[in-house]
Structure formats: C-alpha cells, structure tokens
Amino acid sequence: MTATGPTDDRLNPPSLVQLAADSIRKLILAGEFEPGERLREERLTERLAISRPPLREALRILENEGLITTLPRRGATVTTLTDRDVFEILTLRGALERMAFELGIPVARPELLDRPRAALEEMERCAREEDRGALVQAGYAFHSALVGIADHRRLSATYESVHQQVLLCMARNLIARETYFEDLEQHAARHRTLFELVESGNRKAALAELAVHGEGSFEKLSRPRRRTPA
C-alpha cells in the first residue's frame, strides 16, 4: 500500500504580477495618479522595480477591473468618471445601503457585525498610518459588510457588482473630504459613528446618519486641486 504524503495547505505567495497590480491599484485609489492620467510604462517599471512583461499583465488586470482604460496611441490611463457616472453610482449605492439598513436593523445575529467591525478597525489602522489607498479599500469592505447585515444574498451580490466603480467614487470622495472637511482619523471616526448606530439597533438614527454620511463631498471636486510636489 502506497503511503500518501500530508496535504499541503500552504497558500502560494502572490506573484510579481499580483504585487504590481496591488501597488498600482493602491496608487490610483490614493489619488497619486489622477483620472485621465497616462500610466507610463517606463516610469512604472522603474518605480516598481519590475520588467515590462509583468507590468503589462498587471495593467490588464486593472483594465478588467475598470480602474484603467487602454486607448489607441495613448496606452493605459486612469479611468475617468463623468458627473453622470458619479450620480448613477452614488444613487444606486445609496439605495442599496438604505435597503440593507431597513432590512437589517436591528441586526438579527451578532456575528453579522463581525465583518464591518474588522473592516472598521482596518480603516482606523490605515488612517493612523496615512495609507490612503488601503484606507479606500477598507472603506469599501466596511460598507459592503454593512450591506451584509441584511442577510440578503441578492442585495449583497448587486452591491458587489459595482465594486470597482464604488471604489473609484470612494477614492475621489476621500480626496475631497481630506482637502475640505476632515483628516484621515476623523474620516475613520465618522465611520465608527455609523457602525455604533447600526450596532445600537436604532434604525431611524442609523438611516439619518447614512443620509448625511458623505453629503457635499463631490461638490468640492469641481474646484482646482493643488497637487503636492513629488
């Protein structure tokens, strides 16, 4: 009888392509590359210390996610959202989150709050470390997890279907809020306020806070923004 070895449950380390895609994604979400800006391969290969083949694979991943757009004779550029895009994404997102609150508060099972609590703690860590790209990603995870309190598979799937578009809006929102309203730790604290209202079971108060959660942020984006020198 042939003995079989133990099952290898170790996770494979991320590939160079995955690492490059993660790095560029965070730079886009942090606002270091602005909407419409061209992503020059020669600069990225130098910045990320990789060759062109894995870089191009990474850019293809980000193109499939909708974070970048490839144009003839221009190459890869950061995706630009029009005012109409932002309006449609934010109104859809708002409707889905309100529905989740209406269905899910009071929260039926305590474990449904585990994911938003963990995402909130990650937001607070990112804010302390001024990791803006990771903060945007943790912010999406927080809001997605709050949608999960409704315990409604189709609602969660619909929210996830606009994941990358919501991320782009959140990135723009963070820039506006940090410029005009709050620092990063205040940004995270505002999310803790929302979480605590959800946790309290007060549906009316949570919906009222949700309604003003990011009010006015995008109106400020029409103003010219001074770019910090590299």
Side-chain angles (χ1 to χ4, degrees):
M1 187 173 180
T2 304
T4 57
T7 302
D8 189 349
D9 292 327
R10 291 176 297 178
L11 296 176
N12 293 325
S15 69
L16 189 58
V17 171
Q18 290 173 310
L19 290 171
D22 290 345
S23 295
I24 299 168
R25 185 186 298 109
K26 285 180 68 175
L27 290 170
I28 291 171
L29 296 178
E32 293 198 36
F33 295 125
E34 296 190 352
E37 183 173 347
R38 184 179 175 187
L39 300 175
R40 298 183 182 277
E41 289 188 4
E42 61 274 17
R43 294 182 183 174
L44 286 172
T45 54
E46 181 178 350
R47 181 167 187 169
L48 301 177
I50 61 173
S51 62
R52 286 180 186 251
L55 173 65
R56 288 172 178 168
E57 286 296 319
L59 292 176
R60 274 193 279 273
I61 290 173
L62 299 177
E63 182 178 16
N64 289 337
E65 292 179 0
L67 293 178
I68 69 172
T69 305
T70 302
L71 301 172
R73 296 182 297 279
R74 281 206 72 194
T77 61
V78 178
T79 296
T80 298
L81 296 177
T82 65
D83 290 343
R84 183 68 188 181
D85 291 331
V86 171
F87 169 77
E88 291 183 0
I89 294 164
L90 292 185
T91 51
L92 176 60
R93 173 191 167 190
L96 295 174
E97 292 186 357
R98 283 194 302 276
M99 181 178 175
F101 279 28
E102 287 163 358
L103 293 174
I105 302 174
V107 179
R109 303 193 311 278
E111 63 268 23
L112 291 173
L113 290 170
D114 290 346
R115 284 180 55 230
R117 183 181 291 107
L120 176 60
E121 290 170 357
E122 176 66 5
M123 287 187 72
E124 290 170 339
R125 182 192 68 78
C126 293
R128 288 192 300 271
E129 297 178 5
E130 298 188 355
D131 187 344
R132 291 168 178 80
L135 178 58
V136 172
Q137 291 173 303
Y140 175 84
F142 173 76
H143 281 273
S144 177
L146 282 184
V147 169
I149 65 173
D151 202 16
H152 189 301
R153 289 184 296 109
R154 287 174 175 81
L155 174 58
S156 292
T158 302
Y159 196 86
E160 180 61 25
S161 72
V162 289
H163 177 180
Q164 303 303 334
Q165 297 169 65
V166 171
L167 271 180
L168 284 171
C169 280
M170 285 183 165
R172 289 183 58 184
N173 180 61
L174 183 63
I175 291 167
R177 296 203 69 88
E178 188 178 9
T179 303
Y180 298 105
F181 297 110
E182 63 197 6
D183 63 28
L184 297 182
E185 294 200 26
Q186 289 170 329
H187 177 81
R190 186 165 48 84
H191 287 75
R192 178 161 288 282
T193 297
L194 182 61
F195 175 78
E196 289 174 350
L197 288 170
V198 172
E199 187 179 35
S200 75
N202 188 332
R203 182 190 298 124
K204 183 176 180 180
L207 283 166
E209 177 63 24
L210 181 66
V212 297
H213 188 63
E215 189 177 42
S217 301
F218 286 93
E219 295 172 7
K220 300 290 188 180
L221 286 166
S222 59
R223 301 183 186 181
R225 183 164 64 93
R226 294 175 62 186
R227 199 162 184 181
T228 304

